[in-house]
Amino acid sequence: HKEAKRVKTVQEGEETLEVGPSSSSPRISVPLDRLQQPITVKELTELLHYAALGKTGDIKQPSWCRLLHQKKVKALNVVIVEGVTQSHFYKHYLTLRNLRTNYTTRVTFTPSCADLASGIFSSEVPKSDDPALSQSPNKSNELHKALRSHPVITKFGTQKRGLTAYVLSQEEMIKRHYPVKGMPGFEEFVCTDSVDSITDDSPLYGLDCEMCLTEKGNELARVSLVDGDGNCVLDELVKPQNRILNYLTTKCTQIHTHTHTLFSGITATMLRPITTTLRDVQARLRTLLPSDAVLVGHSLNNDLLSLKLIHQHVIDTSLLYRREFGQRFKLKVLAETLLQRQIQTEDKKGHNPIEDAVTALELAQYFIKTGPRQVVELHLEELWGYTIVEEPTDCEPEPAPEPSHRFADILQTLGRSVAFLGKRSDVALDLSSQQWHNSDKEVLASFRRQTKCPSLSVLQFSSISDHLKRRSPHQEQQYPWVCASLRDMCVVFAGPFPAGFSEREVRRLFRCCGPLRKVKMLNTAVRVHAEVEFELLEGATLALKTLNGLNLQGQPIKVQRPVHESMLDLDLTLDALMGDGLNSSRIYAVKLSPSTAERIRSSAKVNGHTLDGKCSGFTPVTTADMLSTAKVNGTQTTIANSKLSEEEVRETFAHFGTVERVVLPAKLGKNARHALIKFESSEDKCAALSSSEDLWKENYLICPSLTPPHLPSWVAVTTPTHTLEAAEDEERTHIHATATPRLQCVICAGPGNGSHDEEAGPPPGEALQISPRRHHVCGRSARTHQVRKLTAFWENLPP
């Protein structure tokens, strides 16, 4: 325990015990008592503010959780899945495998605003004396209003970005007549071996082609490829397949109303000895281009069409330097204005494709390095042909505006970018920072393309919500249904009990397995039974394994689960909960009083019945005849647990491996009777479960942990059916605030006084699932369709 950090155990209503390794790896922790309460939008934004800004300007830790090593946070991604709630998650727990394994921290969320995305961007960061966070907008840095409608600014915004921001999306490629895989007309085109995702460090390659006019139209005659340093890596003449009609054909780069009039420079003499075919060139390009290469060219679609080549990642310089009304600048004009270079001059016999490829490459590099705003401001007059004239005014200058404390504005003031991806909506964010898409699939594809995300990205998926609204006019049934199903998992029926057996005696009998929520006596015409509801799944499971067959006054009782439709897959659900990331290294333990344990041992000798004690099983304890009568000659038999302490539990279970944490839930003013024990590894957990017989000698009953920390708290806050009318007005939204390992985004949690330290997801990132309590509901067929759709969607999300 040299690396362990000890935290004091306290009673319910305060933070619980946490023991965790002292490590620099990021963590997010939620105190156990806060898992009993839903969080609000304000509390959610507290987490985002601190994760993004840290202690800059005295930003404090979130009030409901802890972050450690905040400086390692590189980006924040908030995924909003409208219409999917905790009701859906727990109802379809087995189906949503990817969701429950990648998002292990689960917190109830109660939205208070209709537009959550706007609520995040416009949330107020606490005022600070830090000049970095309290700067008023600088007039000299403020974009002139005349430039706000400039085609370059409206498309790309004002911030410098990496090359991935300027790569054409698939939608843009289709619109601009690029060859795209799967689109009609391109069935015979060859695809390069390009990856789905690129980064700002992906290599750039300049490409240019020359064509000749043949009987079948324009065909490739020459292709040139240069690398990111401008070195030529391919320059090949190509023999057209069909008879050539004109070697000096005009270059087919259409600019809406006219075509280039310069010549290709190809002659019959040049092509006469050539045997290289289009297929040869396609094979060379596939070999030369790295899988993450980005092709750059001027009206590059024509070059790819002539090559009959499909490449996913392209930058078109004719679309970078945009003009009004969709017009485009000639490559020659851009080279002369921006690079001070003369190309395609009259003294040259046609185009030089190497020169054109290098020029397009350098134009793209200049745009990326300089940024769209500076490009426009530096070349406004010479390239776009107009200047900004300030109108004289006799009015007094306006007072400096108050500094903005909106979250999005603060990030942009610090030079960090923000983005919204989703359906077109009225989001409180500049249009230049929004990406609108028609479907969730497009949103996800767009996000995946941006491997280097902005500092804050909010992705909003709406398809499932739209589907539910169309198919599910009545949405008030699923929530109580799911609540009842979860409660059923914690319920056992027991009996028959001896005549006169009271509720108090039932409580005393069953609480040896775990804390009880409710006991209801069921008095039939002949015999007495009881419905016993535990607070934890483990309590019900131990009761089934331990008390079933118990003899009370010579009469055996039967302990069984309720039989409902929702319980048909209970065995699969329990297996999945055992393997849940939160439970992979945890066990549940209760310690019986010596007298109770002795009665169990005595019963074991009588019955001889034991249970399997494998890693996935339970304590081997005899269950029939294991307790003497509850009342003997009017004397009450005590069924009790022994008082537990952290030191005792740690000392007992340290023999099986490193104990990271011990949680001793106890009601105020009462002793803890059971413990949740977290080991350093799942192997340590299995070692403890395999030694359950030895632990039984010390009066311990143990079983694998089943209850995710959030599950019982959510069940506890469920509202009765008659309150659902008031609940219907709450926003139905599902949030996944995640720092993805693919982006090396880290959300971390600190030791906090008794924080509940969740298991980390796939390293090095941490994922947090925050779900609203309210729900949508649909009919059986619609639910099936919804689950399939939701499962397919989430299984395709990056981990």
Side-chain angles (χ1 to χ4, degrees):
H1 307 293
K2 293 181 179 179
E3 297 183 351
K5 188 173 291 186
R6 304 289 295 271
V7 182
K8 184 179 179 181
T9 304
V10 292
Q11 300 297 324
E12 187 183 65
E14 300 178 13
E15 293 171 314
T16 58
L17 170 75
E18 177 184 18
V19 181
S22 177
S23 171
S24 60
S25 59
R27 295 276 181 174
I28 183 170
S29 259
V30 183
L32 193 59
D33 67 314
R34 282 315 307 262
L35 286 176
Q36 312 297 322
Q37 309 168 35
I39 68 167
T40 62
V41 173
K42 181 178 183 298
E43 289 170 323
L44 171 63
T45 55
E46 283 179 4
L47 170 62
L48 299 178
H49 293 169
Y50 186 77
L53 302 172
K55 295 183 179 179
T56 304
D58 300 323
I59 303 297
K60 297 180 180 179
Q61 282 269 11
S63 60
W64 60 280
C65 66
R66 302 282 295 176
L67 266 70
L68 189 65
H69 307 299
Q70 177 277 334
K71 292 183 179 179
K72 293 187 177 182
V73 176
K74 295 185 178 180
L76 292 175
N77 302 318
V78 180
V79 180
I80 305 172
V81 185
E82 293 184 335
V84 181
T85 67
Q86 285 180 133
S87 297
H88 293 96
F89 177 75
Y90 286 121
K91 180 177 176 62
H92 306 295
Y93 181 81
L94 292 175
T95 310
L96 301 176
R97 184 175 183 276
N98 191 57
L99 186 60
R100 60 182 162 86
T101 54
N102 286 331
Y103 296 84
T104 52
T105 304
R106 297 161 198 155
V107 181
T108 301
F109 175 65
T110 305
S112 59
C113 60
D115 189 348
L116 184 59
S118 291
I120 292 172
F121 290 123
S122 60
S123 59
E124 291 284 322
V125 176
K127 293 184 179 180
S128 168
D129 295 331
D130 192 311
L133 299 183
S134 58
Q135 291 179 352
S136 298
N138 191 335
K139 286 270 184 182
S140 61
N141 292 330
E142 187 177 352
L143 184 69
H144 194 283
K145 62 182 181 180
L147 295 181
R148 294 173 187 170
S149 60
H150 191 282
V152 171
I153 300 298
T154 56
K155 174 61 179 177
F156 301 113
T158 59
Q159 302 293 325
K160 289 184 183 180
R161 301 183 182 181
L163 68 86
T164 53
Y166 307 110
V167 173
L168 294 183
S169 67
Q170 187 179 77
E171 295 76 19
E172 289 178 304
M173 293 179 71
I174 294 173
K175 180 180 178 181
R176 304 294 180 179
H177 309 294
Y178 274 82
V180 174
K181 184 178 180 180
M183 295 299 293
F186 305 122
E187 292 81 5
E188 297 181 359
F189 279 48
V190 174
C191 296
T192 58
D193 297 323
S194 58
V195 295
D196 291 334
S197 299
I198 57 172
T199 71
D200 289 337
D201 296 322
S202 294
L204 295 175
Y205 283 80
L207 178 71
D208 189 69
C209 297
E210 300 298 335
M211 279 76 76
C212 285
L213 180 64
T214 72
E215 293 177 326
K216 297 293 184 180
N218 291 311
E219 291 190 45
L220 181 70
R222 184 178 178 182
V223 57
S224 298
L225 182 73
V226 298
D227 63 19
D229 296 322
N231 302 314
C232 182
V233 294
L234 176 68
D235 184 30
E236 289 280 354
L237 290 170
V238 182
K239 192 79 168 182
Q241 291 181 339
N242 299 286
R243 187 170 66 90
I244 298 174
L245 302 179
N246 191 342
Y247 287 94
L248 299 179
T249 183
T250 56
K251 187 171 183 180
C252 185
T253 303
Q254 295 182 357
I255 310 182
H256 292 271
T257 57
H258 63 281
T259 305
H260 276 294
T261 55
L262 293 181
F263 300 111
S264 66
I266 305 298
T267 64
T269 303
M270 294 170 61
L271 290 182
R272 187 172 296 115
I274 300 302
T275 59
T276 303
T277 64
L278 176 63
R279 294 297 180 190
D280 296 332
V281 170
Q282 290 172 336
R284 287 287 308 279
L285 285 171
R286 282 169 53 87
T287 302
L288 288 171
L289 290 174
S291 60
D292 62 340
V294 178
L295 286 179
V296 180
H298 198 75
S299 295
L300 187 60
N301 58 311
N302 296 297
D303 301 303
L304 293 176
L305 288 171
S306 66
L307 283 165
K308 293 189 175 180
L309 191 71
I310 294 175
H311 188 77
Q312 289 190 62
H313 313 298
V314 300
I315 294 178
D316 193 331
T317 51
S318 71
L319 299 175
L320 283 182
Y321 301 90
R322 293 170 175 252
R323 300 178 68 182
E324 293 83 354
F325 312 114
Q327 295 180 326
R328 304 189 195 185
F329 289 107
K330 294 181 180 180
L331 184 64
K332 177 179 180 179
V333 172
L334 293 175
E336 184 176 353
T337 304
L338 302 172
L339 306 178
Q340 288 76 51
R341 179 181 305 163
Q342 299 290 328
I343 65 170
Q344 302 173 355
T345 55
E346 294 182 359
D347 59 332
K348 297 180 180 179
K349 297 181 179 180
H351 291 184
N352 181 343
I354 298 177
E355 181 182 60
D356 290 355
V358 170
T359 300
L361 174 72
E362 292 182 0
L363 285 171
Q365 292 171 332
Y366 175 75
F367 192 96
I368 296 168
K369 179 181 179 181
T370 307
R373 175 173 176 172
Q374 275 194 290
V375 166
V376 171
E377 291 178 339
L378 291 173
H379 307 286
L380 185 62
E381 182 175 3
E382 56 183 338
L383 193 57
W384 283 276
Y386 58 90
T387 58
I388 297 175
V389 179
E390 296 289 349
E391 296 182 1
T393 177
D394 297 331
C395 300
E396 294 183 4
E398 297 181 1
E402 287 291 325
S404 172
H405 293 279
R406 295 172 72 252
F407 188 29
D409 294 340
I410 290 289
L411 290 175
Q412 291 174 329
T413 299
L414 296 174
R416 304 180 191 176
S417 58
V418 297
F420 169 81
L421 295 82
K423 289 181 66 175
R424 180 168 184 166
S425 57
D426 187 17
V427 177
L429 192 66
D430 292 340
L431 291 178
S432 59
S433 299
Q434 299 187 43
Q435 299 180 33
W436 294 338
H437 301 278
N438 294 324
S439 68
D440 291 349
K441 186 177 181 181
E442 293 176 8
V443 173
L444 185 57
S446 177
F447 175 75
R448 281 179 160 176
R449 290 170 66 90
Q450 300 182 30
T451 309
K452 276 196 173 182
C453 285
S455 295
L456 173 65
S457 298
V458 175
L459 291 76
Q460 185 161 299
F461 299 104
S462 307
S463 298
I464 296 175
S465 177
D466 295 341
H467 169 77
L468 291 174
K469 290 175 182 177
R470 292 192 302 267
R471 302 293 296 270
S472 312
H474 304 291
Q475 301 175 353
E476 70 278 1
Q477 299 172 4
Q478 178 162 307
Y479 184 65
W481 187 95
V482 173
C483 296
S485 298
L486 293 175
R487 287 180 181 276
D488 286 344
M489 295 170 65
C490 298
V491 169
V492 296
F493 285 92
F497 293 102
F501 210 78
S502 68
E503 177 185 332
R504 183 178 181 184
E505 289 168 319
V506 173
R507 284 185 176 275
R508 286 182 175 179
L509 176 62
F510 279 84
R511 71 185 183 187
C512 70
C513 298
L516 303 179
R517 177 174 287 119
K518 183 176 64 175
V519 172
K520 179 182 178 182
M521 301 304 294
L522 306 173
N523 297 303
T524 64
V526 179
R527 298 182 294 183
V528 178
H529 294 74
E531 177 183 342
V532 181
E533 182 179 340
F534 288 88
E535 292 184 4
L536 302 176
L537 294 171
E538 294 87 346
T541 302
L542 276 181
L544 287 165
K545 301 294 183 180
T546 307
L547 301 180
N548 185 35
L550 169 68
N551 270 341
L552 292 178
Q553 299 179 8
Q555 177 178 324
I557 64 169
K558 184 175 183 180
V559 181
Q560 58 188 334
R561 292 191 183 275
V563 179
H564 297 302
E565 179 184 355
S566 62
M567 307 294 285
L568 296 179
D569 288 326
L570 179 62
D571 55 338
L572 297 178
T573 302
L574 293 178
D575 288 342
L577 287 170
M578 284 185 201
D580 195 294
L582 295 177
N583 294 325
S584 61
S585 58
R586 302 169 189 253
I587 65 171
Y588 173 85
V590 295
K591 187 173 185 181
L592 304 179
S593 67
S595 59
T596 302
E598 182 58 34
R599 293 186 185 97
I600 294 176
R601 293 190 184 94
S602 300
S603 301
K605 294 177 182 179
V606 174
N607 187 23
H609 175 66
T610 60
L611 299 175
D612 189 7
K614 297 178 182 178
C615 176
S616 60
F618 300 86
T619 304
V621 177
T622 301
T623 57
D625 292 326
M626 68 181 183
L627 296 178
S628 59
T629 61
K631 289 185 179 181
V632 179
N633 298 326
T635 302
Q636 180 68 50
T637 299
T638 301
I639 307 294
N641 304 67
S642 180
K643 175 182 177 181
L644 286 177
S645 67
E646 176 200 346
E647 290 73 17
E648 178 187 2
V649 172
R650 294 181 64 82
E651 182 180 355
T652 300
F653 288 89
H655 301 296
F656 310 111
T658 302
V659 177
E660 285 191 354
R661 176 155 43 95
V662 177
V663 178
L664 299 173
K667 293 185 178 180
L668 190 61
K670 295 187 178 181
N671 297 324
R673 295 176 174 177
H674 66 284
L676 295 170
I677 303 164
K678 182 178 185 298
F679 290 98
E680 187 178 68
S681 68
S682 58
E683 290 77 13
D684 298 340
K685 165 189 169 179
C686 287
L689 291 171
S690 299
S691 303
S692 55
E693 290 188 19
D694 296 330
L695 289 169
W696 172 234
K697 294 176 183 179
E698 299 183 46
N699 304 336
Y700 280 100
L701 294 175
I702 64 171
C703 73
S705 181
L706 298 171
T707 308
H710 173 59
L711 181 61
S713 64
W714 183 66
V715 176
V717 298
T718 55
T719 53
T721 306
H722 66 269
T723 64
L724 286 173
E725 293 181 2
E728 288 177 357
D729 294 333
E730 294 190 23
E731 178 67 20
R732 298 165 175 91
T733 310
H734 192 90
I735 302 177
H736 291 276
T738 172
T740 61
R742 188 165 55 86
L743 300 172
Q744 296 184 342
C745 307
V746 182
I747 295 183
C748 349
N753 293 328
S755 308
H756 170 70
D757 185 6
E758 300 295 352
E759 306 293 341
E766 174 105 5
L768 171 67
Q769 174 183 326
I770 309 176
S771 313
R773 290 185 293 174
R774 302 308 178 230
H775 57 281
H776 289 288
V777 66
C778 51
R780 181 180 301 274
S781 61
R783 283 201 305 268
T784 303
H785 178 73
Q786 167 212 337
V787 171
R788 290 174 181 167
K789 189 173 182 181
L790 181 63
T791 303
F793 170 76
W794 278 108
E795 291 302 326
N796 285 311
L797 274 180

